[in-house]
Amino acid sequence: MADSELPTRPKPEETKEAAPAEGGDSKNASKNALKKAAKEKAKAEKAAARAAQEKAQAAAAEANDTAKGLYGPIPETADVISTTRFSELSEEYYEKEVTVVARVDNARVQSAKLAFLMLRQQGQKVQAVIAAAEPISRQMIKFTGGLNVNSIVQVTGIVKKPEIPISSATISHLELHIRKVYMISEAAQMLPMQVKDAERPPPTEAEEGQVDAEGAPIVTLKTRLDNRVLDLQTETSQAITWISSGVAQLFSEYMIKSGSRWIFTPKLVGAATEGGSNVFEVKYFKRNAFLAQSPQLYKQMCIAGDMENVFEIAPVFRAEDSNTHRHLTEFAGLDFEKTFQNHYHEVLEFAEDLLVFILTQLKERYAPQIATIQKSYPKAGDFKLPKDGKALRLNYMDGVALLKEAGVDMSEQERFENDFTTAMEKQLGHIIRDKYDTDFYVLDKFPMAVRPFYTKADPKDSRFSNSYDFFMRGEEIMSGAQRINDIKELEESMRSKGLDPTQEGFEDYLNAFRQGCPPHAGGGLGMNRIVMFFLGLPNVRLASLFPRDPQRLRP
Amino acid sequence: MADSELPTRPKPEETKEAAPAEGGDSKNASKNALKKAAKEKAKAEKAAARAAQEKAQAAAAEANDTAKGLYGPIPETADVISTTRFSELSEEYYEKEVTVVARVDNARVQSAKLAFLMLRQQGQKVQAVIAAAEPISRQMIKFTGGLNVNSIVQVTGIVKKPEIPISSATISHLELHIRKVYMISEAAQMLPMQVKDAERPPPTEAEEGQVDAEGAPIVTLKTRLDNRVLDLQTETSQAITWISSGVAQLFSEYMIKSGSRWIFTPKLVGAATEGGSNVFEVKYFKRNAFLAQSPQLYKQMCIAGDMENVFEIAPVFRAEDSNTHRHLTEFAGLDFEKTFQNHYHEVLEFAEDLLVFILTQLKERYAPQIATIQKSYPKAGDFKLPKDGKALRLNYMDGVALLKEAGVDMSEQERFENDFTTAMEKQLGHIIRDKYDTDFYVLDKFPMAVRPFYTKADPKDSRFSNSYDFFMRGEEIMSGAQRINDIKELEESMRSKGLDPTQEGFEDYLNAFRQGCPPHAGGGLGMNRIVMFFLGLPNVRLASLFPRDPQRLRP
């Protein structure tokens, strides 16, 4: 049933022994060569035997344990525990006792009398120390230093100023001197991937299974996505998921403020009306259904239904066999559709202001997250917005001229035979950045020949259309247009594009125009692409929680 | 391909001649008997001939037309037209000139010198009058009175106080004396259904095709949904779609304020993990995929990925062959999942406050819409909320006791063999309304036997579970629980429910717990059901833009 090409269990060669029970730096533990699998097994058995022996010794020692009740499984209590978040911690907490809940990022026994924990909370790290001194016992130190990496623990301790800042911690100017440590959720000793190994940007496929200069395993994007729950725990992933959340939030904020109604149109549709080959087929009781490739026809039907201004935030499905850095088979679509009074530029300006609002507010509200992400993905640099707060708008033919000026062969585009290629779009992005100092811009007036049937032709020059694309760093993030709202014009346009208006599945859509429909325009944004290009991520999969592509259906 | 049982074209017998060209009341025009189809055709041909003749006459008369340029197709102009909305109109506009864009709800020629238009804007109606007086010509009166019903027109006129209020208009204390009238989008003469006929609540199937006491055709819910674009144009539909929008908006507002992250989890999944029979199968390139029945496993994986507090607004797919008033195969799900520190009641209280917030704010923000809807659906009455602003919470067994007290046989429920039946739930709703004066309440501590495998058992009494359902007017709108976050406990629970933890598709989910996962709880709300029960609608399809059920895949 599920994707059999993909590993369904953590491969032993990809795992790494987490937190050895006694001493040693986990960084140098088990490299990921295939032949080590057998060794690992023997080691695990030995560890189990040792664990049993230790348990017996522990039981014998328990009577003498001065730290009894200060560590171990979390005790049941009716007391309400008040915890402090890492993000709250500051110098003001020096010498105060706090209780935190965090993951063990690393655990290390230095000696019988001293152990270190690196604690991690949503990617942020704080060091904790435990030293033997009444009532802290050697047993408690052993327990603490032997905690499995990634376990979730509740730690109570005194916040201290460290002698020198702890460079390996995110919060380096304080450390926790442990008083109590309880297990909340224990992680397995073997993890398929270490969260710390996902903290570095993904390397190429060729580097998979290699180690880097410091001896740490290199994990590819594939390994990270296969183990996405661990991968989400890095500070960078945490920050990216905040930006995704922010884009959706800002889009809905802007739309609601404009008086728009939030709509939910069906994803299960009766016919493949928007291009048959790229549509997923669904078994629907005794017949077939299809997954909507966009809410295009339905949001227009809402306009015909007098809703005037509508938006939708919903998955969009594309059965396109594209295995590129920017294609997904399922992504979050941000769609809107709006009537206008005099000219479609009313809607175009509305959409330009929408994007300027989203991008400006992202910078304002998510500055710490953006800074975190830039540490991992610095290449693209800051996203440049137009200084005057208004989007740069050029005509399609201006774009053609700029590329021609730069020596690109634009003859096909000048003859309206083809839209820009991806390479042309990217080059145009560079040219516009150099010339206008912005990474966001709009091209208006695309040739009618390269746009879908429902696009309104420019009444003054029918070779062109009242349609526009939005670009971020030279890649398309939105396509939109004025739509034809006259039934005769619409049927003619369909026929001129080789579509049959009497084809099954179009009746309801076409009837909407037979019954009178006001002039309207709109657009559809790809949320994941906005996140990707805003942050300069190398792959759209990094901007999706659980990405779907032709090869990937899990996790 | 598409649903062949359903009509793909408006049936002539369902149509009604809209706005006869000369005089007469369209109310009495063509009844919908099958045998009339032929007559209609002949009539249409005759009308076409007459239209051609009129056109010739019109051309001849044009030279003498004093109203030339004041009516007809909308002229092209570079001027910016400023329009007034019906909702803005008030006594302050008396004697002022306004321009409105609206649909023709009805057009009627009274005499050669007088015609009436009923104009409709998002369901609201205003009367317009046109009388012959320089420069208004007889030709212009004929044009205006002969406008096809549902056409969109731009009308300029003087706002006047009518001698007596216009009872058939929504805004009865003013009328428009027409100066200019232009066609923006012409509706066909034949509509499959009149919007005015959809303004009355849907009758039973048996009444379909009948006429009511006033001779107006009765249209069933099926006809209305088949012609949903027209149906959406009624004032009641407009109001309902605002409430739907409001529920989504208020949910996201509350979640965002709580620090929650907006997530988008995949709807295309590799395995049917949540009960195989109710899942839709999708052709996914060379293999099969399934449509997610809920984001349950994925939102828990986000929690395991340290996201702490997440929410999702997305379609949910159920391949259940249920043809009831409250089941859809696709609906809008409002989901959330949250870690807690001490007790799952932290999350339960959070969810209770969420619902109180949504329902209270709906009443506050959408009072006019609620009043409009109640005119069509008065039966259920006002939705009663708890007076103290806190949800009423009872235990499941309290519910059993209340029903037993009322004489219901609860022996199966007392033996934990079955959950409440729908009839029991409804009765309990009445009992609770009578006793506690609220239509919203929560049942906590459901028997473990009736809950899904991932539900946490009550640590104090394993017959029960830390799970809850939310009810509105005695019908379930949310199910939620603390989830098991310990891998051993989870695997045991799966086995005890007859599930195999090693089954394909569960690995990624179970690995999330092997890698450590904090305690958490959550819930899933059905947006359409909240709208339905809040408003007391008789059918959930009225609370869905384009509903999907086993029989319906269109429009």
Side-chain angles (χ1 to χ4, degrees), chain A residues 254-293:
Chain A
Y254 183 91
M255 292 308 303
I256 286 166
K257 216 178 157 182
S258 80
S260 188
R261 244 177 288 191
W262 198 329
I263 57 169
F264 297 86
T265 68
K267 303 308 151 203
L268 289 166
V269 295
T273 42
E274 279 194 88
S277 64
N278 291 339
V279 65
F280 287 114
E281 207 179 307
V282 182
K283 268 195 214 162
Y284 194 78
F285 303 99
K286 281 170 189 158
R287 43 187 164 154
N288 283 333
F290 302 90
L291 288 178
Q293 288 163 289

Side-chain angles (χ1 to χ4, degrees), chain A residues 13 52 54 59 112 132 142 163 167 280 290 325-326 358 370 390 411 426 460 479 552:
Chain A
E13 71 271 27
E54 280 170 1
K142 199 169 166 185
E163 283 176 31
S167 61
F280 287 114
F290 302 90
H325 73 295
R326 63 175 196 171
I358 292 175
I370 294 168
K390 293 303 285 180
S411 48
K426 282 192 186 176
K460 287 179 195 128
S479 209
R552 178 175 292 282

Side-chain angles (χ1 to χ4, degrees), chain A residues 154-223:
Chain A
Q154 178 178 304
V155 174
T156 300
I158 312 290
V159 178
K160 296 270 186 186
K161 185 178 179 167
E163 283 176 31
I164 49 163
I166 298 137
S167 61
S168 53
T170 324
I171 303 170
S172 57
H173 61 294
L174 48 81
E175 65 182 8
L176 217 52
H177 287 213
I178 297 173
R179 291 298 168 90
K180 293 178 196 170
V181 53
Y182 301 117
M183 178 61 74
I184 287 181
S185 176
E186 188 171 29
Q189 238 186 13
M190 306 284 245
L191 295 183
M193 176 184 88
Q194 293 294 310
V195 172
K196 59 162 87 23
D197 297 331
E199 279 167 356
R200 292 178 296 276
T204 60
E205 288 289 332
E207 290 170 307
E208 171 79 349
Q210 305 287 311
V211 293
D212 71 6
E214 288 164 35
I218 287 174
V219 291
T220 59
L221 182 58
K222 182 181 175 304
T223 303

Side-chain angles (χ1 to χ4, degrees), chain A residues 106 366 426 447 449 495 515:
Chain A
N106 196 18
Y366 299 94
K426 282 192 186 176
R495 279 188 288 263
Q515 297 156 5

